[in-house]
Amino acid sequence: MGKVFGKLKKSNNIKLTYFDFTGRAEVSRIILTYAGVKFTDERITDLAAIKEKLPFGQLPVLYYKGVQISQSMAIARFLANEFKLAGRNNLERAQADEIVDALVDLFNKGFEVMFSQGSAEETQKLRKEYHRTVDTELEKLERRLETRGGQFFAGNALTWADIQFFCAVDFLRMMESTAVEKYPLLADLNKRIGEIPNIKQWMETRPQGGH
């Protein structure tokens, strides 16, 4: 059973299915939460039980008004477009997508560390290398944010790129990195996103299943 979140004026029939951690679904959960729509946050523990019913045999999957959508970034991008967080024109959409892609690369490198099958020593070495990568990438993102006015990553307005960044900082904390604090524009953006009422409430009340 999934937990229902959000306040909605009409029924939207939205369900997001993923594991009981943040991972590749959190940006979509936060987009839905920010938009104030009611959705079922279904968290499963047994992928094998539903794998054959999934389009690509993996999660997350979004059920939206009777239509099933797979692939994490396709889901998040669809929701960003649906709730006016993708950018106001093609240029802004490209700018937002650019940042999202850069952050996905950072997530993927972090997952390699998280799910490393190596020895404790090898994993610790990977973690140190990852922290160096984080510093390098955050410096690039700080410069990018500065060139775009210092407030948001695209169009001087909130987009899903900013929400993806907020999720990335959450992930980095779990990876024992506080590097974002060294970059004032990024740190300020993260703080402002976290203070948006719907997002703040989500962070305070979301299931604590980990990352």
Side-chain angles (χ1 to χ4, degrees), residues 1 4 14 20 43 53 98 109 124 129 156 175:
M1 293 292 291
V4 177
I14 303 171
D20 188 21
R43 300 179 180 231
K53 299 178 181 178
E98 171 199 83
K109 289 172 184 174
Q124 186 59 28
E129 290 175 356
N156 204 30
M175 295 294 288

Side-chain angles (χ1 to χ4, degrees):
M1 293 292 291
K3 188 172 181 181
V4 177
F5 289 90
K7 299 177 181 177
L8 189 64
K9 298 171 185 174
K10 59 182 180 179
S11 176
N12 260 353
N13 262 343
I14 303 171
K15 181 172 73 171
L16 185 62
T17 303
Y18 192 57
F19 304 107
D20 188 21
F21 50 85
T22 57
R24 300 185 187 277
E26 195 68 2
V27 63
S28 292
R29 290 173 180 146
I30 293 182
I31 290 171
L32 288 164
T33 299
Y34 170 80
V37 299
K38 184 178 181 181
F39 71 102
T40 300
D41 180 26
E42 182 178 49
R43 300 179 180 231
I44 70 161
T45 56
D46 185 8
L47 176 61
I50 64 169
K51 191 178 178 92
E52 291 186 359
K53 299 178 181 178
L54 303 175
F56 298 98
Q58 60 190 28
L59 296 172
V61 166
L62 176 71
Y63 301 87
Y64 193 87
K65 301 180 182 180
V67 177
Q68 187 185 57
I69 304 171
S70 189
Q71 298 295 329
S72 59
M73 287 298 98
I75 292 168
R77 187 175 289 106
F78 164 73
L79 293 173
N81 278 289
E82 191 75 354
F83 300 114
K84 303 187 187 310
L85 286 168
R88 292 165 294 194
N89 54 52
N90 285 340
L91 180 58
E92 289 181 9
R93 283 187 281 274
Q95 289 178 326
D97 286 352
E98 171 199 83
I99 299 301
V100 168
D101 287 350
L103 291 167
V104 167
D105 288 345
L106 201 57
F107 270 108
N108 287 340
K109 289 172 184 174
F111 289 138
E112 289 176 11
V113 178
M114 183 183 297
F115 299 112
S116 169
Q117 298 297 311
S119 66
E121 183 179 349
E122 290 170 335
T123 300
Q124 186 59 28
K125 182 180 178 181
L126 283 175
R127 188 177 290 270
K128 287 181 179 178
E129 290 175 356
Y130 180 64
H131 284 184
R132 286 194 290 269
T133 298
V134 167
D135 274 329
T136 299
E137 296 308 308
L138 288 181
E139 184 177 353
K140 294 174 184 175
L141 287 166
E142 176 85 354
R143 290 199 301 266
R144 209 61 168 150
L145 183 57
E146 184 177 16
T147 64
R148 294 178 181 172
Q151 293 298 298
F152 299 100
F153 278 117
N156 204 30
L158 180 70
T159 67
W160 72 304
D162 306 300
I163 293 175
Q164 179 76 317
F165 170 71
F166 179 76
C167 292
V169 174
D170 187 41
F171 176 76
L172 290 175
R173 287 199 190 99
M174 187 275 303
M175 295 294 288
E176 301 176 355
S177 172
T178 58
V180 71
E181 301 304 328
K182 296 192 293 186
Y183 302 97
L185 295 179
L186 294 178
D188 177 66
L189 174 60
N190 183 65
K191 181 174 181 290
R192 286 185 286 112
I193 300 300
E195 290 174 348
I196 295 171
N198 281 6
I199 295 177
K200 182 178 181 181
Q201 182 180 23
W202 170 260
M203 298 300 290
E204 291 172 349
T205 62
R206 67 180 178 178
Q208 298 300 312
H211 289 70

